[in-house]
Amino acid sequence: MFNNNFIEKVLSILLVVLFVISAVLLVAFFTSVVPLEESAQMESGITSTFLNWAYFLAIVCAIAAVLFPLLEFVRNLIDDPKSAIKPLAIIACLAIILGISYGIASGDLSSITHTSVPTTEGELKWSGTGLNVTYILLGLNILAIIYLEVSKKLK
């Protein structure tokens, strides 16, 4: 298998290549003379190229955000199986929070009065789930901060 030095070198080179391509596209985007009309901007080649590159970078970042922690978890699982308990507990807690958030989310279409985008009940349910997850995690963070500050004062 590959050692860490090889992987770090490949990732460093890949990062530099992505940065250079992004810089070239950024300069081309801002130096091109594009009419102000929105339809004309979308028809110009540089705008669509720039947006496609942004989508590509977002996909690469999403894959890296999932792949690297997963590989690290598998490596730790092989090296020290007891170290896998904490990440699995965190994933289980997040799954419970997601389930609770989905359960209390409303997909009621009657709460929307006017919208220019047609929405379905499922989309509203998942939007509510995302908001509920955010609220629950925010509340847990606030409680953790309060607990840490109080425990510091009591020591």
Side-chain angles (χ1 to χ4, degrees):
M1 192 104 183
F2 300 112
N3 61 10
N4 284 341
N5 289 335
F6 175 75
I7 293 172
E8 286 179 15
K9 286 180 185 179
V10 169
L11 289 176
S12 296
I13 292 170
L14 182 64
L15 182 65
V16 169
V17 168
L18 291 175
F19 179 77
V20 168
I21 293 171
S22 298
V24 168
L25 286 174
L26 188 68
V27 169
F29 179 75
F30 282 112
T31 58
S32 66
V33 179
V34 178
L36 292 178
E37 295 85 28
E38 190 173 321
S39 61
Q41 285 181 350
M42 290 309 292
E43 290 173 3
S44 74
I46 191 64
T47 302
S48 62
T49 303
F50 190 72
L51 288 174
N52 288 335
W53 182 251
Y55 296 146
F56 171 75
L57 289 178
I59 290 169
V60 167
C61 289
I63 290 171
V66 171
L67 183 65
F68 289 130
L70 185 63
L71 290 175
E72 185 69 21
F73 174 73
V74 170
R75 190 176 74 173
N76 286 340
L77 185 62
I78 292 169
D79 293 344
D80 183 20
K82 286 187 178 182
S83 68
I85 293 173
K86 190 183 284 187
L88 288 177
I90 292 171
I91 291 170
C93 289
L94 289 176
I96 291 169
I97 290 172
L98 183 66
I100 291 170
S101 298
Y102 186 80
I104 62 176
S106 171
D108 188 21
L109 289 171
S110 65
S111 62
I112 298 179
T113 55
H114 300 295
T115 179
S116 61
V117 179
T119 55
T120 64
E121 198 170 316
E123 290 172 339
L124 291 176
K125 182 90 170 171
W126 281 109
S127 296
T129 300
L131 289 171
N132 291 335
V133 166
T134 303
Y135 299 149
I136 290 171
L137 292 178
L138 177 66
L140 290 174
N141 282 329
I142 290 171
L143 289 175
I145 290 169
I146 292 170
Y147 171 76
L148 289 173
E149 290 300 320
V150 169
S151 66
K152 275 188 203 176
K153 298 291 182 192
L154 294 177
K155 285 186 180 180

